[in-house]
Amino acid sequence: MYKIFLNEDEMPRQWYNLAADLPSPMLPPLGPDGNPVGPDQLAPVFPMNLIEQEVSQERWIDIPEPVLELLYRWRPTPLQRAVHLERYLGTPAKIYFKNESVSPAGSHKPNTAVAQAWYNKQFGIKKLTTETGAGQWGSALSFACSLVGLECKVFMVRISFDQKPFRKVMMQTWGGQCVPSPSTETQAGRDVLAKNPDTPGSLGIAISEAVEAAVTDTTGQTRYALGSVLNHVMLHQTIIGLEAKKQLEKAGVKKVDTVIGCAGGGSNFAGISFPFVNDKIHGAKIEIIPVEPASCPTLTKAPFVYDHGDIAKMTPLLPMHSLGHSFVPEPIHAGGLRYHGMAPLVSQAVVEGLLSPMAIQQMECYKAAMIFAQTEGIIVAPETSHAIAATIRKALEAKEEGKERVILFNLSGHGLMDLAGYDKYMQGLLVDHAMHQDEVDAALKEISHHPVAAKNRTGKW
Ligand SMILES: Cc1ncc(COP(=O)(O)O)c(C=O)c1O
């Protein structure tokens, strides 16, 4: 079977919450005074129905029927077997991928965008603000807002705004408004521009702008939506892995050996992997790999620490692997992976020893993406190419060992809006960049006074 489909009535009816199963309880977010942040303090930023999901310890959370109706526009997504890639590599491994590129916006992001837009609408909100790195999340939220009838304003990281001009047109087509970040519209943006007028921008800066734009709306009818990192975003994305499990069962696959996803803020990785992390907690032998760029090595080089999600410290301190909230990563083409932090749930799963993070350089990723395009046909997003590079490494390892392993990876998005990066790669204009330990240490200096998250738990830092 090359493609395994589910009918709409076979789609999961509940999201899976990993917080219920992690061996140790999640650490709470902290306010500026060092005390845990309660739901009421988050209320100016998010609607209460999503805050309830953010702090929930319930293992299973029902997907409301109207959200299922929104998801049916493109879900269930196919599970595909990459037989042509397998043949090209001459590997005995069986490679499956979940194809999230079939959504209208071209990635996994609409899975949470439609849910967040619906919950905000239910709460009486009129407008959402957000940031976007690669442009995928901004497109997804603009699309979702158009479905439920909300206004949408997107602050797009400047380097991606310049690299991917058609993303803005997509957002506008769905009725969203898109401005490059840093912008002069917010205090946070003006502060950054005053210090560094030529900055390529970063997700940390764009988040500050979007949160500021939401909380300064005096009508009280604007809220902020985040495309990754937070618990409720991970939750909404678990539909990917839950569908994949059903599809693998249909294909007669009894055991998955390796699960792979690229990781920026952690959401598509969480989506494909968390149902398998649950199996691992309960004794299954599975290797689960989040893959990040070597130029932004959050999980492989940065400590588990309390840090802000944004440069202007608008967000609470979150327990996460972080390179420091004002770290501006190299302007690599995988814009969605240029984030200084990582989802607390993913971070904690790493600390618990449930995940095996990997960092890969940009050139190996583009090479993998070219091979994938020329075998399976799909031109993937530069972010997704990290998952493919790791998959190829694992498939070649299986070949060397002569083992028939089952590898599952998440094809988080297509790259049809990212062709400038492919063009540069083919012209030989791209170079590798890895962060050295002294650069990591320098980036971490500014947060050395933050409360440590892992020291008391693992003694690691
Ligand atoms: C196609 C694609 N994959 C992956 C990511 C990384 O985000 P996350 O780690 O939240 O899945 C992005 C973010 O923009 C993306 O657009």
Side-chain angles (χ1 to χ4, degrees), residues 106-109 132-137 203 227-229 233-234 237 262-270 335-337 342 381-384 411-414:
S107 76
H108 63 296
K109 299 279 179 183
T132 194
Q136 290 273 15
W137 168 244
L203 277 166
S228 191
V229 181
V233 182
M234 306 297 123
Q237 293 293 359
C262 65
S267 73
N268 88 89
F269 167 75
L337 305 185
M342 184 57 67
E383 291 81 6
T384 312
L411 197 156
S412 58
H414 69 65

Side-chain angles (χ1 to χ4, degrees), residues 202-279:
S202 72
L203 277 166
I205 298 169
I207 292 174
S208 292
E209 291 209 88
V211 175
E212 183 183 325
V215 299
T216 52
D217 175 9
T218 48
T219 68
Q221 292 182 325
T222 300
R223 290 291 183 280
Y224 164 71
L226 185 57
S228 191
V229 181
L230 296 177
N231 301 343
H232 64 274
V233 182
M234 306 297 123
L235 178 81
H236 299 155
Q237 293 293 359
T238 58
I239 194 159
I240 302 172
L242 295 168
E243 280 182 10
K245 275 193 145 184
K246 285 193 172 189
Q247 287 161 312
L248 287 165
E249 210 176 291
K250 271 197 176 181
V253 175
K254 301 243 162 8
K255 185 179 178 311
V256 176
D257 298 290
T258 308
V259 179
I260 296 171
C262 65
S267 73
N268 88 89
F269 167 75
I272 189 91
S273 71
F274 279 5
F276 295 93
V277 175
N278 184 16
D279 294 346

Side-chain angles (χ1 to χ4, degrees), residues 48-231:
M48 199 45 86
N49 47 15
L50 284 176
I51 295 172
E52 278 162 16
Q53 287 189 350
E54 184 62 23
V55 298
S56 174
Q57 290 296 314
E58 293 293 316
R59 180 169 294 117
W60 295 102
I61 295 181
D62 289 342
I63 308 177
E65 197 56 44
V67 174
L68 288 169
E69 293 284 334
L70 292 165
L71 290 168
Y72 290 152
R73 276 188 171 70
W74 72 97
R75 300 207 77 83
T77 61
L79 178 77
Q80 294 179 226
R81 172 121 179 247
V83 272
H84 306 287
L85 176 64
E86 289 169 17
R87 279 182 207 146
Y88 172 88
L89 298 173
T91 176
K94 288 189 175 137
I95 303 174
Y96 290 89
F97 64 94
K98 189 72 169 140
N99 190 353
E100 292 296 308
S101 78
V102 300
S103 80
S107 76
H108 63 296
K109 299 279 179 183
N111 296 332
T112 182
V114 295
Q116 291 192 48
W118 185 82
Y119 281 107
N120 272 283
K121 182 80 178 176
Q122 289 298 106
F123 198 69
I125 298 305
K126 298 270 184 290
K127 178 175 175 179
L128 288 179
T129 62
T130 197
E131 76 296 324
T132 194
Q136 290 273 15
W137 168 244
S139 322
L141 195 68
S142 299
F143 158 65
C145 285
S146 79
L147 296 186
V148 306
L150 290 176
E151 282 177 58
C152 183
K153 167 99 181 225
V154 182
F155 292 87
M156 183 168 183
V157 175
R158 176 161 350 134
I159 181 75
S160 300
F161 188 88
D162 295 340
Q163 284 169 346
K164 302 167 197 190
F166 291 126
R167 277 281 164 198
K168 177 178 122 184
V169 182
M170 285 177 81
M171 292 178 227
Q172 288 172 332
T173 305
W174 281 309
Q177 195 199 346
C178 173
V179 292
S181 165
S183 76
T184 50
E185 293 189 19
T186 64
Q187 192 57 48
R190 289 190 291 272
D191 287 350
V192 173
L193 286 172
K195 273 193 220 139
N196 188 357
D198 297 324
T199 177
S202 72
L203 277 166
I205 298 169
I207 292 174
S208 292
E209 291 209 88
V211 175
E212 183 183 325
V215 299
T216 52
D217 175 9
T218 48
T219 68
Q221 292 182 325
T222 300
R223 290 291 183 280
Y224 164 71
L226 185 57
S228 191
V229 181
L230 296 177
N231 301 343

